[in-house]
Amino acid sequence: MLIGIPGSGKSSFYKKNLFDTHVRISLDLLNTRNKERRFMELAFSLQQRMVLDNTNVTKVERATYIAEAKRNKFALTGYYFESRLEVCLQRNEARSGKGKINKVGVIAKHKALELPSYDEGFDKLFYVRLENDQFQINPWNDEV
């Protein structure tokens, strides 16, 4: 599960690090929760590794996915992306076409952001920073 506000690098991280091994489940691509649910059900039934590439900024949003993963006996790894508002707004502005979202939307996601925790049910958690176009992946520390 990827966690972070728009512009934090989630989709780029997927393309660089998980594209060859995991199916991408993303509302940006699928457009409806029904399609998202159906793709997840198929991936679970096939025992296919998947990445949940949404913002997943609140514990409530993450809880449904976590419950489904546990119910299907999948290990769950969370990647929290450093979500500094000004940096993410700049990255968002540099996007073109459908990838660019309204500035108000980025700010709203930042305000709603709740840091993940092992208490939510993650088997592994990592803190990801994008620095000089390189992803720095570090073990999670609840004091981040």
Side-chain angles (χ1 to χ4, degrees):
M1 178 183 295
L2 307 183
I3 304 160
I5 69 172
S8 60
K10 299 176 305 297
S11 295
S12 296
F13 179 85
Y14 166 77
K15 290 171 190 165
K16 184 171 183 173
N17 295 286
L18 302 167
F19 179 83
D20 291 333
T21 57
H22 293 69
V23 169
R24 181 177 177 215
I25 309 286
S26 170
L27 272 175
D28 290 345
L29 298 174
L30 300 171
N31 299 318
T32 70
R33 290 281 180 200
N34 181 49
K35 288 180 187 174
E36 177 191 56
R37 181 184 49 76
R38 291 174 61 199
F39 268 85
M40 285 179 58
E41 287 172 358
L42 180 60
F44 283 133
S45 72
L46 297 173
Q47 294 292 297
Q48 170 62 51
R49 290 179 174 180
M50 69 185 98
V51 170
L52 302 170
D53 183 10
N54 298 325
T55 58
N56 300 309
V57 295
T58 68
K59 290 178 182 183
V60 170
E61 290 171 336
R62 296 188 292 263
T64 302
Y65 299 121
I66 292 169
E68 280 300 304
K70 297 299 180 186
R71 189 174 71 74
N72 285 281
K73 298 180 177 28
F74 268 55
L76 186 65
T77 301
Y79 293 92
Y80 170 77
F81 290 76
E82 182 177 65
S83 295
R84 292 183 300 167
L85 182 58
E86 288 305 316
V87 173
C88 292
L89 285 170
Q90 288 172 0
R91 287 188 196 130
N92 184 59
E93 280 301 311
R95 292 175 171 171
S96 60
K98 189 179 177 192
K100 187 174 182 178
I101 71 165
N102 188 304
K103 179 180 179 177
V104 173
V106 178
I107 294 168
K109 288 294 184 181
H110 186 264
K111 286 181 181 177
L113 182 61
E114 297 175 294
L115 294 178
S117 150
Y118 278 106
D119 293 342
E120 293 177 63
F122 290 100
D123 296 295
K124 294 180 185 174
L125 254 171
F126 296 96
Y127 183 90
V128 181
R129 293 180 59 217
L130 184 55
E131 197 171 290
N132 299 321
D133 292 328
Q134 296 294 315
F135 289 101
Q136 308 297 318
I137 307 166
N138 295 300
W140 184 255
N141 178 342
D142 280 334
E143 298 173 8
V144 170

